[in-house]
Amino acid sequence: MTSAADGIQKLKLEPQPKQPPAEGLLPPAFSRDIHLQRALLQLRSKASDIEKYIYLSQLKDTDEDIFYKLCLANMNEITPLIYTPTVGDACLQYSRNFRRPEGLFISIRDKGRIGTILRNWPAIDEARISVVTDGKSFPPRSRILGLGDLGLNGMPIAIGKLSLYVAGAGIRPSSTLPITLDLGTNNQTFLNDPLYLGLRQERAPEGEYDEFMEEFMTEMSRVYPKLLVQFEDFSTNHAFSFLSRFRHRFPLFNDDIQGTGAVVLAGLVSAARLSPLQPHEHRILFYGAGSAGIGVANQLLSFFTLNGMTKEEARSHIWIVDSKGLIYDDRDHVAEYKKVFSRNDYSGPPMTDLLDIVEYVRPTALMGLSTVKGAFTEAVIRRMASQTPRPIIFPLSNPSQLSECTFSEALRASGGSVLFASGSPFPEENFAGRTWEPGQGNNMYIFPGLGLGSILCRASSVTDSMVEATAIGLANSLSSDERALELVYPRLQRIREISAHIAVRVIRAAQAADVDRSSELRKLSDEELLGFVQEKMWTPQ
Ligand SMILES: NC(=O)C1=CN([C@@H]2O[C@H](COP(=O)(O)OP(=O)(O)OC[C@H]3O[C@@H](n4cnc5c(N)ncnc54)[C@H](OP(=O)(O)O)[C@@H]3O)[C@@H](O)[C@H]2O)C=CC1
Ligand SMILES: CC(=O)C(=O)O
Ligand SMILES: [Mg+2]
């Protein structure tokens, strides 16, 4: 009988010596270059995106080099398959499509022996970056369909993010560790499904979850002293509380709060260059006040205050709307983490209609992090466009089906004046006699470089200044060609180049904050540091 650990050994996570296969084991005309073309043809022959996802997972398993070569050569085509939007379906269907284990599963029943489970990972000495999810909130569509949370089926999001660490920043594949925490699920459909792979029990109560997380993080740092942890897609209350509880004790960040904060700050800075207003002159309306919405609002607040505003002035530029409408002081039931943005200049009946709110606030930038498909109606976009010459409209909810509006809708309703970025990709549009390229405001531009920089300088914690450095690095990374085309984010094909520059800024910020533990890097000039970072990036053979 084979054990789970034997099964995982088959993942070939440890560096394998690359030897040519014995004669006769490959057809005489086999060439790896042609095989790359063959793999692309095979991929394109699949009828649906989820079949393409499965094909790519198997390709990664059997031939990691070809998989990543394919990704790097076709980033625009493959990213939507291994990441949002297809990864949303991959999560929903995980237990049905499961072929083999690809990460660590740690359940609430492992409490008291989490360290033992963590030691079962075969590439224990190699691990440098772990994406950890509790499967609670991605894709939020599950709520809209009334399916509840995803439980153990959240694993593909951790795997997808880690594939982007490899493709986007050259993290060694063997250094990535996907972890799903199985706290149970309240999703009755999964509990009734004989194929569901997670625990058949309701989510653990808060107290037990808290103790579990304490043990988990303590054991993670014991077993993996060189590991950086990325928290992903925890429900909002856990996202904020775990981040503040652990961030000063371990090297970790929360991607939905901090990664999203940085990518949207970069988008605002870069869009503001195309608008008549400076970033700090914008009136910014957030539609959605979860970990992502509040994470971004906090990032902007911190950016505005670091650039000379008082906290009060900075707050006055931000309005937040949640499922109960505009957040203001006289309103009941406002969660603690939202209160910093509560408006004191409005009183009266709750304001719930987005068009009314847009008329009242007169925003110049509208950020969607609500999971509400189509919330940015034609009337809302028209209204924005009538109030400001270059409205910034970022429908950032994922996957595509949950986007607050499409690129086509934003472009047409604004008459082409919109500065647009969405969380999931939209195709180019032909409008008013020219082709328009949409931006993709997704934390995938941030976490690879943030992770690479943090790992290389062995950061003991991830500071706000390191996160902000990624945003500025990204905003400054647009080429003259991209600027001429009025792009808000650089093209994805350049992700490795961008991640290297971001990593350099992250290392410098870590050094300034004294959280780096690789003092050798302090002696390098910026150019030498960039060379060092680039040289460390793994490339498929
Ligand atoms: N582009 C990117 O890089 C990223 C995008 N995202 C996306 O952002 C979205 C939100 O994520 P997250 O913050 O984790 O999710 P949450 O579920 O924590 O937050 C959703 C927020 O939207 C609010 N909301 C729900 N319905 C409405 C409504 N009808 N009107 C107004 N507000 C509403 C909720 O209100 P209430 O608080 O009252 O419940 C809540 O504040 C997701 O689609 C996610 O995929 C997330 C991270 C990164
Ligand atoms: C992109 C991402 O992290 C999310 O949608 O949750
Ligand atoms: Mg996320």
Side-chain angles (χ1 to χ4, degrees), residues 471-502:
I472 304 308
L474 178 59
N476 289 339
S477 70
L478 279 97
S479 64
S480 50
D481 176 35
E482 288 161 344
R483 283 178 198 228
L485 286 166
E486 298 202 337
L487 300 191
V488 175
Y489 291 102
R491 293 203 170 110
L492 200 51
Q493 295 94 297
R494 296 204 298 116
I495 183 80
R496 279 209 163 197
E497 182 195 330
I498 293 158
S499 296
H501 283 277
I502 290 180

Short mmCIF file of all heavy atoms in Angstrom, two decimals, residues 471-502:
data_model
loop_
_atom_site.label_atom_id
_atom_site.label_comp_id
_atom_site.label_asym_id
_atom_site.label_seq_id
_atom_site.Cartn_x
_atom_site.Cartn_y
_atom_site.Cartn_z
N ALA A 471 3.77 49.05 -5.19
CA ALA A 471 2.80 49.88 -5.93
C ALA A 471 3.52 50.93 -6.76
O ALA A 471 3.22 51.12 -7.95
CB ALA A 471 1.82 50.54 -4.96
N ILE A 472 4.49 51.58 -6.14
CA ILE A 472 5.21 52.63 -6.87
C ILE A 472 6.03 52.00 -8.00
O ILE A 472 6.08 52.50 -9.12
CB ILE A 472 6.09 53.46 -5.90
CG1 ILE A 472 5.22 54.03 -4.76
CG2 ILE A 472 6.85 54.57 -6.62
CD1 ILE A 472 3.98 54.79 -5.22
N GLY A 473 6.64 50.85 -7.67
CA GLY A 473 7.41 50.13 -8.70
C GLY A 473 6.53 49.78 -9.89
O GLY A 473 6.91 49.97 -11.04
N LEU A 474 5.33 49.32 -9.62
CA LEU A 474 4.44 48.92 -10.71
C LEU A 474 3.98 50.15 -11.51
O LEU A 474 4.00 50.14 -12.74
CB LEU A 474 3.22 48.16 -10.14
CG LEU A 474 2.18 47.71 -11.14
CD1 LEU A 474 2.78 46.79 -12.20
CD2 LEU A 474 1.03 46.99 -10.43
N ALA A 475 3.60 51.20 -10.79
CA ALA A 475 3.13 52.40 -11.49
C ALA A 475 4.22 52.99 -12.39
O ALA A 475 3.94 53.56 -13.44
CB ALA A 475 2.66 53.44 -10.48
N ASN A 476 5.49 52.82 -11.97
CA ASN A 476 6.58 53.39 -12.77
C ASN A 476 7.10 52.44 -13.84
O ASN A 476 8.07 52.75 -14.51
CB ASN A 476 7.75 53.77 -11.84
CG ASN A 476 7.39 54.98 -11.00
OD1 ASN A 476 6.48 55.74 -11.36
ND2 ASN A 476 8.05 55.15 -9.88
N SER A 477 6.46 51.29 -13.96
CA SER A 477 7.03 50.28 -14.86
C SER A 477 6.47 50.35 -16.28
O SER A 477 6.88 49.59 -17.13
CB SER A 477 6.78 48.89 -14.27
OG SER A 477 5.41 48.59 -14.38
N LEU A 478 5.54 51.27 -16.53
CA LEU A 478 4.97 51.31 -17.88
C LEU A 478 6.00 51.83 -18.88
O LEU A 478 6.68 52.82 -18.61
CB LEU A 478 3.71 52.18 -17.93
CG LEU A 478 2.47 51.44 -17.43
CD1 LEU A 478 2.21 51.76 -15.98
CD2 LEU A 478 1.26 51.76 -18.26
N SER A 479 6.08 51.16 -20.02
CA SER A 479 7.01 51.61 -21.06
C SER A 479 6.41 52.82 -21.78
O SER A 479 5.20 53.09 -21.64
CB SER A 479 7.23 50.47 -22.06
OG SER A 479 6.01 50.20 -22.71
N SER A 480 7.23 53.50 -22.58
CA SER A 480 6.71 54.68 -23.29
C SER A 480 5.61 54.26 -24.27
O SER A 480 4.62 54.97 -24.46
CB SER A 480 7.83 55.43 -23.99
OG SER A 480 8.58 54.52 -24.74
N ASP A 481 5.79 53.08 -24.84
CA ASP A 481 4.79 52.55 -25.76
C ASP A 481 3.45 52.33 -25.03
O ASP A 481 2.37 52.73 -25.51
CB ASP A 481 5.37 51.21 -26.26
CG ASP A 481 4.44 50.45 -27.15
OD1 ASP A 481 3.72 51.12 -27.89
OD2 ASP A 481 4.43 49.19 -27.10
N GLU A 482 3.53 51.75 -23.84
CA GLU A 482 2.31 51.49 -23.06
C GLU A 482 1.67 52.81 -22.61
O GLU A 482 0.44 52.94 -22.63
CB GLU A 482 2.65 50.61 -21.84
CG GLU A 482 2.96 49.17 -22.24
CD GLU A 482 3.73 48.38 -21.18
OE1 GLU A 482 4.30 48.99 -20.25
OE2 GLU A 482 3.79 47.16 -21.31
N ARG A 483 2.51 53.77 -22.26
CA ARG A 483 1.95 55.08 -21.86
C ARG A 483 1.26 55.75 -23.04
O ARG A 483 0.20 56.35 -22.90
CB ARG A 483 3.05 55.99 -21.33
CG ARG A 483 3.43 55.59 -19.92
CD ARG A 483 4.55 56.46 -19.39
NE ARG A 483 5.15 55.79 -18.25
CZ ARG A 483 5.40 56.36 -17.10
NH1 ARG A 483 5.15 57.63 -16.91
NH2 ARG A 483 5.93 55.68 -16.11
N ALA A 484 1.89 55.64 -24.21
CA ALA A 484 1.31 56.28 -25.40
C ALA A 484 -0.07 55.69 -25.69
O ALA A 484 -0.97 56.38 -26.18
CB ALA A 484 2.23 56.10 -26.59
N LEU A 485 -0.24 54.42 -25.37
CA LEU A 485 -1.54 53.78 -25.61
C LEU A 485 -2.52 54.00 -24.45
O LEU A 485 -3.60 53.42 -24.42
CB LEU A 485 -1.33 52.27 -25.80
CG LEU A 485 -0.74 51.86 -27.13
CD1 LEU A 485 -0.27 50.41 -27.09
CD2 LEU A 485 -1.76 52.05 -28.25
N GLU A 486 -2.12 54.81 -23.48
CA GLU A 486 -2.94 55.12 -22.30
C GLU A 486 -3.26 53.87 -21.49
O GLU A 486 -4.36 53.75 -20.92
CB GLU A 486 -4.22 55.86 -22.70
CG GLU A 486 -3.98 57.19 -23.37
CD GLU A 486 -5.18 58.12 -23.28
OE1 GLU A 486 -6.31 57.63 -23.10
OE2 GLU A 486 -4.98 59.36 -23.36
N LEU A 487 -2.34 52.92 -21.41
CA LEU A 487 -2.59 51.74 -20.59
C LEU A 487 -2.42 52.11 -19.11
O LEU A 487 -1.60 52.96 -18.76
CB LEU A 487 -1.62 50.60 -20.93
CG LEU A 487 -1.65 50.10 -22.38
CD1 LEU A 487 -0.86 48.80 -22.50
CD2 LEU A 487 -3.07 49.87 -22.87
N VAL A 488 -3.23 51.47 -18.28
CA VAL A 488 -3.15 51.73 -16.84
C VAL A 488 -2.13 50.80 -16.18
O VAL A 488 -1.44 51.15 -15.23
CB VAL A 488 -4.55 51.55 -16.21
CG1 VAL A 488 -4.50 51.68 -14.71
CG2 VAL A 488 -5.54 52.56 -16.81
N TYR A 489 -2.02 49.59 -16.70
CA TYR A 489 -1.05 48.62 -16.20
C TYR A 489 -0.18 48.15 -17.37
O TYR A 489 -0.64 48.15 -18.52
CB TYR A 489 -1.75 47.40 -15.59
CG TYR A 489 -2.47 47.75 -14.31
CD1 TYR A 489 -3.85 47.92 -14.29
CD2 TYR A 489 -1.77 47.90 -13.11
CE1 TYR A 489 -4.52 48.26 -13.12
CE2 TYR A 489 -2.43 48.24 -11.94
CZ TYR A 489 -3.80 48.42 -11.95
OH TYR A 489 -4.45 48.75 -10.79
N PRO A 490 1.05 47.74 -17.07
CA PRO A 490 1.89 47.24 -18.16
C PRO A 490 1.35 45.94 -18.72
O PRO A 490 0.52 45.28 -18.09
CB PRO A 490 3.25 47.01 -17.47
CG PRO A 490 2.95 46.90 -16.03
CD PRO A 490 1.71 47.69 -15.77
N ARG A 491 1.84 45.58 -19.88
CA ARG A 491 1.37 44.32 -20.49
C ARG A 491 1.91 43.13 -19.70
O ARG A 491 3.04 43.14 -19.23
CB ARG A 491 1.84 44.26 -21.93
CG ARG A 491 1.16 45.33 -22.78
CD ARG A 491 1.19 44.90 -24.24
NE ARG A 491 0.34 45.77 -25.02
CZ ARG A 491 0.81 46.65 -25.91
NH1 ARG A 491 2.10 46.77 -26.11
NH2 ARG A 491 -0.03 47.39 -26.59
N LEU A 492 1.06 42.14 -19.61
CA LEU A 492 1.38 40.96 -18.80
C LEU A 492 2.61 40.20 -19.31
O LEU A 492 3.32 39.58 -18.52
CB LEU A 492 0.14 40.04 -18.80
CG LEU A 492 0.02 39.02 -17.71
CD1 LEU A 492 0.20 39.64 -16.34
CD2 LEU A 492 -1.34 38.34 -17.82
N GLN A 493 2.87 40.29 -20.61
CA GLN A 493 4.03 39.57 -21.16
C GLN A 493 5.32 40.03 -20.48
O GLN A 493 6.30 39.32 -20.47
CB GLN A 493 4.21 39.83 -22.67
CG GLN A 493 3.11 39.29 -23.55
CD GLN A 493 2.09 40.37 -23.83
OE1 GLN A 493 1.44 40.84 -22.90
NE2 GLN A 493 1.91 40.78 -25.07
N ARG A 494 5.31 41.24 -19.91
CA ARG A 494 6.54 41.78 -19.31
C ARG A 494 6.62 41.49 -17.81
O ARG A 494 7.42 42.08 -17.09
CB ARG A 494 6.61 43.30 -19.55
CG ARG A 494 6.71 43.68 -21.01
CD ARG A 494 7.33 45.05 -21.19
NE ARG A 494 6.56 46.12 -20.56
CZ ARG A 494 6.99 46.87 -19.54
NH1 ARG A 494 8.17 46.66 -19.01
NH2 ARG A 494 6.22 47.82 -19.05
N ILE A 495 5.79 40.57 -17.33
CA ILE A 495 5.66 40.38 -15.89
C ILE A 495 7.00 40.06 -15.21
O ILE A 495 7.29 40.56 -14.12
CB ILE A 495 4.57 39.33 -15.54
CG1 ILE A 495 4.37 39.18 -14.03
CG2 ILE A 495 4.84 37.99 -16.14
CD1 ILE A 495 3.53 40.22 -13.41
N ARG A 496 7.85 39.27 -15.85
CA ARG A 496 9.13 38.91 -15.20
C ARG A 496 10.02 40.13 -15.01
O ARG A 496 10.63 40.31 -13.95
CB ARG A 496 9.86 37.87 -16.03
CG ARG A 496 9.33 36.49 -15.76
CD ARG A 496 10.37 35.45 -15.95
NE ARG A 496 9.89 34.24 -15.28
CZ ARG A 496 10.65 33.22 -14.96
NH1 ARG A 496 11.92 33.22 -15.24
NH2 ARG A 496 10.13 32.18 -14.35
N GLU A 497 10.09 40.94 -16.06
CA GLU A 497 10.91 42.17 -15.99
C GLU A 497 10.36 43.07 -14.87
O GLU A 497 11.11 43.61 -14.05
CB GLU A 497 10.76 42.83 -17.37
CG GLU A 497 11.51 44.08 -17.60
CD GLU A 497 10.96 44.78 -18.87
OE1 GLU A 497 10.46 44.11 -19.81
OE2 GLU A 497 11.02 46.03 -18.88
N ILE A 498 9.04 43.19 -14.82
CA ILE A 498 8.41 44.05 -13.82
C ILE A 498 8.63 43.50 -12.42
O ILE A 498 8.98 44.24 -11.48
CB ILE A 498 6.89 44.16 -14.13
CG1 ILE A 498 6.71 44.92 -15.43
CG2 ILE A 498 6.13 44.84 -13.00
CD1 ILE A 498 5.39 44.66 -16.10
N SER A 499 8.47 42.19 -12.26
CA SER A 499 8.65 41.58 -10.94
C SER A 499 10.08 41.80 -10.44
O SER A 499 10.29 42.01 -9.24
CB SER A 499 8.36 40.08 -10.99
OG SER A 499 7.02 39.87 -11.32
N ALA A 500 11.06 41.73 -11.35
CA ALA A 500 12.46 41.92 -10.93
C ALA A 500 12.64 43.33 -10.38
O ALA A 500 13.25 43.53 -9.32
CB ALA A 500 13.40 41.67 -12.11
N HIS A 501 12.07 44.33 -11.08
CA HIS A 501 12.20 45.72 -10.61
C HIS A 501 11.46 45.91 -9.28
O HIS A 501 11.94 46.60 -8.39
CB HIS A 501 11.67 46.69 -11.67
CG HIS A 501 12.64 46.89 -12.79
ND1 HIS A 501 13.69 47.78 -12.71
CD2 HIS A 501 12.76 46.27 -13.98
CE1 HIS A 501 14.40 47.72 -13.82
NE2 HIS A 501 13.87 46.81 -14.62
N ILE A 502 10.28 45.29 -9.19
CA ILE A 502 9.52 45.40 -7.94
C ILE A 502 10.32 44.76 -6.80
O ILE A 502 10.43 45.32 -5.69
CB ILE A 502 8.13 44.76 -8.09
CG1 ILE A 502 7.26 45.62 -9.02
CG2 ILE A 502 7.45 44.57 -6.73
CD1 ILE A 502 5.85 45.09 -9.26
#
